[in-house]
């Protein structure tokens, strides 16, 4: 299971104990916010796209949507989200638990500027009932992101 991959990933940093697993679903921003008793904006949702034949992830604040114009300016292509089947195969995590940790080798991760207004955020950990609280510098480090982008709207 993908959560086991994420636990193994965080174990190398002695952080696996920080992963929270819930008895309820955290598969959507609203459900995750309820499970964590936090505002939905602090959920670091991970969106999966196809760019030049490769899977790409953008981690954004829970209250933003992708701005198609900004996305096209940044990546020089129209935003095309992966299907649930593509996400699981190409990224290594199923929809509802997609996260930027322990992803398949050729997946590029970007962090959206919308996250920078928070001290800590809660990304999923590979399952539809898990999360970890990370500071923004920790998210940057452990996601092994390629960089920051500004492709969100609505925050």
């Amino acid at each position: 299971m993908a959560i086991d991959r994420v636990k193994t990933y965080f174990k190398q940093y002695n952080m696996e104990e920080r992963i929270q697993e819930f008895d309820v679903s955290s598969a959507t921003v609203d459900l995750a916010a309820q499970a964590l008793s936090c505002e939905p904006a602090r959920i670091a949702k991970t969106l999966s796209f196809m760019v030049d034949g490769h899977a790409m992830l953008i981690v954004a604040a829970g209250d933003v949507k992708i701005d198609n114009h900004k996305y096209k300016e940044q990546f020089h292509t129209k935003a095309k989200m992966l299907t649930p089947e593509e996400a699981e195969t190409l990224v290594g995590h199923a929809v509802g638990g997609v996260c930027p940790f322990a992803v398949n080798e050729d997946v590029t991760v970007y962090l959206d500027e919308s996250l920078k207004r928070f001290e800590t955020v809660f990304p999923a950990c590979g399952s539809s009932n898990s999360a970890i609280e990370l500071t923004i510098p920790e998210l940057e480090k452990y996601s092994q992101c390629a960089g920051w982008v500004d492709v969100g709207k609505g925050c």
Side-chain angles (χ1 to χ4, degrees), residues 29-148:
V29 167
D30 288 336
L31 291 172
Q34 287 174 23
L36 289 155
S37 298
C38 74
E39 62 181 298
R42 287 186 57 213
I43 303 303
K45 64 182 177 183
T46 304
L47 305 168
S48 54
F49 297 91
M50 182 69 74
V51 176
D52 296 329
H54 296 282
M56 176 193 63
L57 300 177
I58 298 175
V59 184
D63 63 346
V64 303
K65 293 185 165 124
I66 296 298
D67 181 308
N68 288 322
H69 179 72
K70 288 181 178 180
Y71 182 98
K72 190 165 186 174
E73 280 188 358
Q74 177 72 45
F75 297 107
H76 310 290
T77 188
K78 184 178 176 185
K80 180 188 180 299
M81 290 195 75
L82 298 180
T83 66
E85 295 78 21
E86 289 172 329
E88 192 161 8
T89 301
L90 299 174
V91 175
H93 301 305
V95 170
V98 176
C99 65
F101 319 113
V103 296
N104 292 343
E105 196 172 303
D106 61 344
V107 177
T108 305
V109 176
Y110 292 95
L111 304 179
D112 185 72
E113 293 284 334
S114 61
L115 296 165
K116 287 186 174 178
R117 62 194 148 125
F118 303 107
E119 283 189 37
T120 63
V121 293
F122 296 92
C125 288
S127 71
S128 62
N129 66 329
S130 64
I132 187 169
E133 184 174 15
L134 297 174
T135 64
I136 298 306
E138 286 175 331
L139 178 63
E140 194 171 24
K141 176 181 177 179
Y142 299 120
S143 69
Q144 300 177 351
C145 69
W148 289 88

